[in-house]
Amino acid sequence: MTPRDPDILCIGSVLWDVIGRCTDPMVSGNDKPGRITRIPGGVALNIAMTLAGLGFHPALLSVVGEDAEGAELSLACARLGLDITHLTRAKDLPTDRYMAIEASNGLVAAIADAHSLEAAGDRILSPLINGPLGTPDAPFQGPIALDGNLTEGLLAEIAEHPAFALADLRIAPASPGKATRLLPFLSAGRGTLYVNLEEACLLCEAPLTSAPEAAAALVARGAARALVTNGGAPCGDAIRDGVVTETPRPVTVTRVTGAGDTFMAAHIAAERDGLDRQAALRQALAVAADYVSGGDCT
């Protein structure tokens, strides 16, 4: 049987999520009982897993170590139906990890250890630049989901690189602490940005008060398109022709890690299915609401 070609590339963090969850509210310094899980995660992987559940065949471009954790993670990805053919295995780097504590009042704290991804640099892009997925003279022409765990320098290179010139770039910052790494895409006027209100404020260097306002501000600063979420408040999808808005339905939040990644993947899938901007935004919010309330997002 001939292997199926990937119909979307997911570039960025592929790691283990270690999540501690408590059903009570928590504040800094608390020590409470709960549950601790270890699951495949990382922005690029979260997006890929959701897309696979929605009928895509995603390929991962990232790095895992040639350690036991990397071997186990690669096997888990393959079992999830993800294309790991182009995943870089590094002898000199450990597999990355993310650790978070969540409680009934939301995310308490998190640490992302994506140092191996940063150290690997453009090694992970070789299949897209030197083949077989593409070259500067024959660029990949499908959608690419890209996350801000890459270094600022590499993201700036991608924003201008001819190997990405024909791709439908969909870009997430990974966290507010890495939001400004996406500034090269505003300067280049490339891609669709998926950010929350806090991240939009950092990119715009302004105290914006609503997601629709922030989406319009990002486009005014050069973004080709911007989708901005704000928890349970109205969100916005802005292009130069205007902003559409939708309000998420109220839900009881049981998990938050990966919610933005799920929203982004669901939005990509909705547009693939031919939904217009308003309907695609509504559908993506519905899938994200199912996710945060503990339901099946696929």
Coordinates of all heavy atoms in Angstrom, one line a residue, residues 154-226:
L154 N 14.3 31.8 13.9 CA 13.7 30.8 12.9 C 12.4 31.2 12.4 O 12.1 31.1 11.3 CB 13.7 29.4 13.6 CG 13.4 28.3 12.6 CD1 14.3 28.3 11.4 CD2 13.4 27.0 13.4
L155 N 11.5 31.8 13.3 CA 10.2 32.2 12.9 C 10.3 33.4 11.9 O 9.6 33.5 10.9 CB 9.4 32.6 14.1 CG 8.9 31.5 15.0 CD1 8.4 32.0 16.3 CD2 7.8 30.7 14.3
A156 N 11.3 34.3 12.1 CA 11.5 35.4 11.2 C 12.0 34.9 9.8 O 11.6 35.4 8.8 CB 12.6 36.3 11.8
E157 N 12.8 33.8 9.9 CA 13.3 33.2 8.6 C 12.1 32.6 7.9 O 11.9 32.7 6.6 CB 14.3 32.2 8.9 CG 14.9 31.5 7.7 CD 15.9 30.4 8.0 OE1 16.5 30.5 9.2 OE2 16.2 29.6 7.2
I158 N 11.2 31.9 8.6 CA 10.0 31.2 8.0 C 9.1 32.3 7.3 O 8.6 32.1 6.2 CB 9.3 30.4 9.0 CG1 10.1 29.2 9.4 CG2 7.9 30.0 8.5 CD1 9.5 28.4 10.6
A159 N 9.0 33.4 8.0 CA 8.1 34.5 7.5 C 8.5 35.0 6.1 O 7.6 35.4 5.3 CB 8.0 35.6 8.5
E160 N 9.7 34.8 5.8 CA 10.2 35.3 4.5 C 10.8 34.2 3.5 O 11.1 34.5 2.4 CB 11.4 36.3 4.7 CG 11.0 37.5 5.6 CD 10.2 38.6 4.9 OE1 10.0 38.4 3.7 OE2 9.7 39.5 5.6
H161 N 10.8 33.0 4.0 CA 11.5 31.9 3.3 C 10.6 31.5 2.1 O 9.4 31.3 2.2 CB 11.7 30.7 4.2 CG 12.8 29.8 3.7 ND1 12.7 29.0 2.5 CD2 14.1 29.6 4.2 CE1 13.8 28.3 2.4 NE2 14.6 28.6 3.3
P162 N 11.3 31.4 0.9 CA 10.5 31.0 -0.3 C 9.9 29.6 -0.2 O 8.9 29.3 -0.9 CB 11.6 31.0 -1.5 CG 12.9 31.0 -0.8 CD 12.7 31.7 0.5
A163 N 10.4 28.7 0.6 CA 9.8 27.4 0.8 C 8.4 27.4 1.4 O 7.7 26.5 1.4 CB 10.8 26.5 1.6
F164 N 8.1 28.6 2.0 CA 6.8 28.7 2.7 C 5.9 29.7 1.9 O 4.8 30.0 2.3 CB 7.0 29.3 4.1 CG 7.6 28.3 5.1 CD1 9.0 28.2 5.1 CD2 6.9 27.6 5.9 CE1 9.6 27.3 6.0 CE2 7.5 26.7 6.8 CZ 8.8 26.5 6.8
A165 N 6.4 30.1 0.7 CA 5.7 31.2 0.0 C 4.3 30.8 -0.4 O 3.4 31.7 -0.5 CB 6.5 31.6 -1.2
L166 N 4.0 29.6 -0.7 CA 2.7 29.2 -1.2 C 1.8 28.5 -0.2 O 0.7 28.0 -0.5 CB 2.8 28.3 -2.5 CG 3.6 28.9 -3.6 CD1 3.6 27.9 -4.8 CD2 2.9 30.2 -4.1
A167 N 2.3 28.4 1.0 CA 1.6 27.7 2.1 C 0.5 28.6 2.7 O 0.6 29.8 2.7 CB 2.6 27.2 3.2
D168 N -0.5 27.9 3.2 CA -1.6 28.6 4.0 C -1.1 28.5 5.4 O -1.3 27.5 6.1 CB -2.9 27.9 3.8 CG -4.0 28.4 4.7 OD1 -3.8 29.5 5.3 OD2 -5.1 27.8 4.8
L169 N -0.4 29.5 5.9 CA 0.2 29.5 7.2 C -0.8 29.8 8.3 O -1.5 30.9 8.2 CB 1.3 30.5 7.3 CG 2.7 30.2 6.6 CD1 3.6 31.4 6.8 CD2 3.3 28.9 7.2
R170 N -0.9 28.9 9.3 CA -1.8 29.2 10.5 C -0.9 29.1 11.7 O -0.2 28.1 11.9 CB -2.8 28.1 10.6 CG -3.7 27.9 9.3 CD -4.6 29.1 9.0 NE -5.4 28.9 7.8 CZ -6.7 28.9 7.8 NH1 -7.4 29.0 9.0 NH2 -7.4 28.8 6.7
I171 N -0.8 30.2 12.5 CA 0.2 30.4 13.4 C -0.3 30.7 14.8 O -1.2 31.5 15.0 CB 1.1 31.6 13.0 CG1 1.5 31.5 11.5 CG2 2.4 31.7 13.9 CD1 1.8 32.8 10.8
A172 N 0.2 30.0 15.8 CA -0.1 30.2 17.2 C 1.1 30.5 18.0 O 2.2 30.0 17.7 CB -0.8 28.9 17.8
P173 N 1.0 31.4 19.0 CA 2.2 31.8 19.8 C 2.7 30.8 20.8 O 3.8 31.0 21.3 CB 1.8 33.1 20.4 CG 0.3 33.0 20.6 CD -0.2 32.1 19.4
A174 N 1.9 29.9 21.2 CA 2.2 28.9 22.3 C 1.9 29.4 23.7 O 1.5 28.6 24.5 CB 3.7 28.4 22.2
S175 N 2.2 30.7 24.0 CA 2.0 31.2 25.3 C 2.2 32.7 25.2 O 2.9 33.2 24.3 CB 2.9 30.6 26.3 OG 4.2 31.0 26.1
P176 N 1.6 33.5 26.2 CA 1.8 34.9 26.2 C 3.3 35.3 26.3 O 3.8 36.3 25.6 CB 1.1 35.4 27.5 CG 0.0 34.4 27.6 CD 0.6 33.1 27.2
G177 N 4.1 34.4 26.9 CA 5.5 34.7 27.0 C 6.3 34.6 25.7 O 7.4 35.1 25.6
K178 N 5.7 34.0 24.7 CA 6.3 33.9 23.4 C 5.6 34.6 22.3 O 5.9 34.5 21.2 CB 6.4 32.4 23.1 CG 7.3 31.6 24.1 CD 7.4 30.1 23.8 CE 8.2 29.4 24.8 NZ 8.2 28.0 24.7
A179 N 4.6 35.4 22.7 CA 3.7 36.1 21.7 C 4.5 37.0 20.8 O 4.2 37.0 19.6 CB 2.6 36.9 22.4
T180 N 5.4 37.7 21.3 CA 6.1 38.7 20.4 C 7.0 38.0 19.4 O 7.5 38.6 18.5 CB 7.0 39.7 21.3 OG1 7.9 38.9 22.1 CG2 6.0 40.5 22.1
R181 N 7.3 36.7 19.6 CA 8.0 35.9 18.5 C 7.3 36.0 17.2 O 7.9 35.7 16.2 CB 8.2 34.5 19.0 CG 9.1 34.3 20.2 CD 9.4 32.9 20.5 NE 10.2 32.7 21.7 CZ 10.8 31.6 22.1 NH1 10.6 30.5 21.3 NH2 11.5 31.5 23.2
L182 N 6.0 36.3 17.2 CA 5.2 36.3 16.0 C 5.2 37.6 15.2 O 4.7 37.8 14.2 CB 3.7 35.9 16.3 CG 3.4 34.6 17.0 CD1 2.0 34.3 16.9 CD2 4.3 33.5 16.4
L183 N 6.0 38.6 15.8 CA 6.0 39.9 15.1 C 6.5 39.9 13.7 O 6.0 40.6 12.8 CB 6.9 40.8 15.9 CG 6.3 41.4 17.2 CD1 7.3 42.1 18.1 CD2 5.1 42.3 16.9
P184 N 7.4 39.0 13.3 CA 7.8 38.9 11.9 C 6.7 38.7 10.9 O 6.7 39.1 9.8 CB 8.9 37.8 11.8 CG 9.4 37.8 13.2 CD 8.3 38.1 14.1
F185 N 5.6 37.9 11.4 CA 4.5 37.7 10.5 C 3.6 38.9 10.3 O 2.9 39.0 9.3 CB 3.7 36.5 11.0 CG 4.5 35.2 11.0 CD1 5.2 34.8 12.2 CD2 4.7 34.5 9.8 CE1 5.9 33.6 12.2 CE2 5.5 33.3 9.8 CZ 6.1 32.9 11.0
L186 N 3.6 39.8 11.3 CA 2.9 41.1 11.1 C 3.7 41.9 10.1 O 3.1 42.5 9.2 CB 2.8 41.8 12.4 CG 1.6 41.5 13.3 CD1 1.6 40.1 13.8 CD2 1.5 42.5 14.4
S187 N 5.0 41.9 10.2 CA 5.9 42.7 9.3 C 5.8 42.2 7.9 O 5.7 43.0 6.9 CB 7.3 42.7 9.8 OG 7.5 43.2 11.1
A188 N 5.7 40.9 7.7 CA 5.6 40.3 6.4 C 4.2 40.2 5.8 O 4.0 40.0 4.6 CB 6.2 38.9 6.4
G189 N 3.2 40.4 6.7 CA 1.8 40.3 6.2 C 1.4 38.9 5.8 O 0.7 38.7 4.9
R190 N 2.0 37.9 6.5 CA 1.8 36.5 6.2 C 1.0 35.8 7.2 O 1.2 36.0 8.4 CB 3.2 35.8 6.0 CG 4.0 36.2 4.9 CD 3.6 35.7 3.5 NE 3.0 34.4 3.5 CZ 3.6 33.3 3.5 NH1 4.9 33.3 3.5 NH2 3.0 32.1 3.5
G191 N 0.2 34.9 6.8 CA -0.4 33.9 7.7 C -1.6 34.4 8.5 O -2.0 35.6 8.5
T192 N -2.3 33.4 9.1 CA -3.4 33.7 10.0 C -3.0 33.5 11.4 O -2.5 32.4 11.8 CB -4.6 32.7 9.7 OG1 -5.1 33.0 8.3 CG2 -5.7 32.9 10.7
L193 N -3.1 34.5 12.3 CA -2.7 34.4 13.7 C -3.8 33.9 14.6 O -5.0 34.4 14.4 CB -2.2 35.7 14.2 CG -1.1 36.4 13.4 CD1 -0.6 37.7 14.1 CD2 0.1 35.5 13.2
Y194 N -3.6 33.0 15.5 CA -4.5 32.5 16.5 C -4.0 32.9 17.8 O -3.0 32.3 18.3 CB -4.7 31.0 16.4 CG -5.4 30.6 15.1 CD1 -4.7 30.4 13.9 CD2 -6.8 30.3 15.1 CE1 -5.3 30.0 12.7 CE2 -7.4 29.8 13.9 CZ -6.7 29.7 12.8 OH -7.3 29.2 11.6
V195 N -4.5 33.9 18.5 CA -4.0 34.4 19.8 C -5.1 34.7 20.7 O -6.3 34.8 20.3 CB -3.1 35.7 19.6 CG1 -1.9 35.4 18.7 CG2 -4.0 36.8 19.0
N196 N -4.8 34.7 22.0 CA -5.8 35.2 23.0 C -5.6 36.7 23.2 O -4.7 37.3 22.6 CB -5.8 34.4 24.3 CG -4.5 34.5 25.0 OD1 -3.8 35.6 25.0 ND2 -4.1 33.5 25.7
L197 N -6.5 37.3 24.0 CA -6.5 38.7 24.1 C -5.2 39.2 24.8 O -4.6 40.2 24.3 CB -7.7 39.2 25.0 CG -7.8 40.7 25.3 CD1 -7.9 41.5 24.0 CD2 -9.0 41.0 26.2
E198 N -4.7 38.5 25.7 CA -3.4 38.9 26.4 C -2.3 38.9 25.3 O -1.5 39.8 25.3 CB -3.1 38.0 27.5 CG -1.8 38.3 28.2 CD -1.4 37.3 29.3 OE1 -2.2 36.4 29.6 OE2 -0.3 37.5 29.9
E199 N -2.2 37.9 24.5 CA -1.2 37.8 23.5 C -1.4 38.9 22.5 O -0.4 39.5 22.0 CB -1.2 36.4 22.8 CG -0.8 35.3 23.8 CD -1.3 33.9 23.4 OE1 -2.2 33.8 22.5 OE2 -0.9 32.9 24.0
A200 N -2.6 39.2 22.1 CA -2.8 40.3 21.1 C -2.4 41.6 21.7 O -1.8 42.4 21.0 CB -4.3 40.3 20.8
C201 N -2.6 41.9 23.0 CA -2.2 43.1 23.6 C -0.6 43.2 23.5 O -0.1 44.3 23.3 CB -2.7 43.2 25.0 SG -4.4 43.4 25.2
L202 N 0.0 42.1 23.8 CA 1.5 42.1 23.7 C 2.0 42.4 22.3 O 3.0 43.2 22.1 CB 2.1 40.8 24.2 CG 1.9 40.5 25.7 CD1 2.2 39.1 26.0 CD2 2.8 41.4 26.5
L203 N 1.4 41.8 21.3 CA 1.8 42.1 19.9 C 1.5 43.5 19.5 O 2.2 44.1 18.7 CB 1.1 41.1 19.0 CG 1.6 39.6 19.0 CD1 0.6 38.7 18.3 CD2 3.0 39.6 18.3
C204 N 0.4 44.1 20.0 CA 0.0 45.4 19.6 C 0.6 46.5 20.5 O 0.4 47.7 20.2 CB -1.6 45.5 19.6 SG -2.4 44.6 18.3
E205 N 1.2 46.0 21.6 CA 1.7 47.0 22.6 C 0.7 48.0 23.0 O 0.9 49.2 23.1 CB 3.0 47.7 22.0 CG 4.1 46.8 21.6 CD 5.3 47.5 21.1 OE1 5.2 48.2 20.0 OE2 6.4 47.4 21.7
A206 N -0.5 47.5 23.3 CA -1.6 48.3 23.7 C -2.6 47.6 24.6 O -2.7 46.4 24.5 CB -2.4 48.8 22.4
P207 N -3.2 48.3 25.5 CA -4.2 47.7 26.5 C -5.6 47.5 25.9 O -6.5 48.2 26.3 CB -4.2 48.6 27.7 CG -4.0 50.0 27.0 CD -3.0 49.7 25.9
L208 N -5.7 46.6 25.0 CA -7.0 46.4 24.3 C -8.0 45.7 25.2 O -7.6 44.9 26.1 CB -6.8 45.5 23.0 CG -5.7 46.1 22.1 CD1 -5.2 45.1 21.1 CD2 -6.3 47.4 21.4
T209 N -9.2 45.9 25.1 CA -10.2 45.5 26.0 C -11.2 44.4 25.5 O -11.9 43.8 26.3 CB -11.1 46.7 26.5 OG1 -11.8 47.3 25.4 CG2 -10.2 47.7 27.2
S210 N -11.2 44.1 24.3 CA -12.0 43.0 23.7 C -11.3 42.3 22.6 O -10.4 42.9 21.9 CB -13.4 43.6 23.2 OG -13.2 44.2 22.0
A211 N -11.7 41.1 22.4 CA -11.1 40.3 21.3 C -11.4 40.8 19.9 O -10.5 40.9 19.1 CB -11.5 38.8 21.4
P212 N -12.6 41.2 19.6 CA -12.8 41.8 18.3 C -12.0 43.1 18.0 O -11.4 43.2 16.9 CB -14.3 42.1 18.3 CG -14.9 41.1 19.2 CD -13.9 41.0 20.3
E213 N -11.9 43.9 19.0 CA -11.0 45.1 18.9 C -9.6 44.7 18.7 O -8.9 45.3 17.8 CB -11.2 45.9 20.2 CG -10.2 47.1 20.2 CD -10.1 47.7 21.6 OE1 -10.4 47.1 22.6 OE2 -9.5 48.9 21.7
A214 N -9.1 43.7 19.4 CA -7.8 43.2 19.3 C -7.5 42.6 17.9 O -6.4 42.8 17.3 CB -7.4 42.2 20.4
A215 N -8.4 41.9 17.4 CA -8.3 41.3 16.1 C -8.1 42.3 15.0 O -7.2 42.3 14.1 CB -9.4 40.4 15.8
A216 N -8.9 43.4 15.1 CA -8.8 44.5 14.1 C -7.5 45.2 14.3 O -6.9 45.6 13.3 CB -10.0 45.4 14.3
A217 N -7.1 45.4 15.5 CA -5.8 46.1 15.8 C -4.6 45.3 15.2 O -3.7 45.9 14.7 CB -5.6 46.3 17.3
L218 N -4.7 44.0 15.3 CA -3.6 43.2 14.7 C -3.5 43.3 13.2 O -2.4 43.4 12.6 CB -3.8 41.7 15.1 CG -3.4 41.3 16.5 CD1 -3.9 39.9 16.9 CD2 -1.9 41.4 16.7
V219 N -4.7 43.4 12.6 CA -4.7 43.6 11.1 C -4.2 45.0 10.8 O -3.5 45.1 9.8 CB -6.1 43.3 10.6 CG1 -6.2 43.7 9.1 CG2 -6.5 41.8 10.7
A220 N -4.6 45.9 11.6 CA -4.1 47.3 11.3 C -2.6 47.4 11.4 O -1.9 48.2 10.8 CB -4.7 48.3 12.3
R221 N -2.0 46.5 12.3 CA -0.5 46.5 12.4 C 0.2 45.6 11.4 O 1.4 45.5 11.4 CB -0.2 46.0 13.8 CG -0.4 47.0 14.9 CD 0.0 46.5 16.3 NE 1.4 46.3 16.4 CZ 2.2 47.2 16.9 NH1 1.8 48.4 17.2 NH2 3.5 46.9 17.0
G222 N -0.6 45.0 10.5 CA 0.1 44.3 9.4 C -0.3 42.9 9.2 O 0.0 42.3 8.2
A223 N -1.0 42.3 10.2 CA -1.4 40.9 10.1 C -2.4 40.7 8.9 O -3.3 41.5 8.7 CB -2.1 40.4 11.4
A224 N -2.2 39.6 8.1 CA -3.1 39.3 7.0 C -4.5 38.9 7.6 O -5.5 39.3 7.0 CB -2.6 38.2 6.2
R225 N -4.5 38.2 8.7 CA -5.7 37.8 9.3 C -5.4 37.5 10.8 O -4.3 37.0 11.1 CB -6.3 36.6 8.6 CG -7.7 36.1 9.1 CD -8.1 34.8 8.4 NE -9.4 34.4 8.8 CZ -10.0 33.3 8.4 NH1 -9.3 32.5 7.6 NH2 -11.2 32.9 8.8
A226 N -6.4 37.7 11.7 CA -6.2 37.4 13.1 C -7.4 36.9 13.7 O -8.5 37.6 13.6 CB -5.7 38.7 13.8

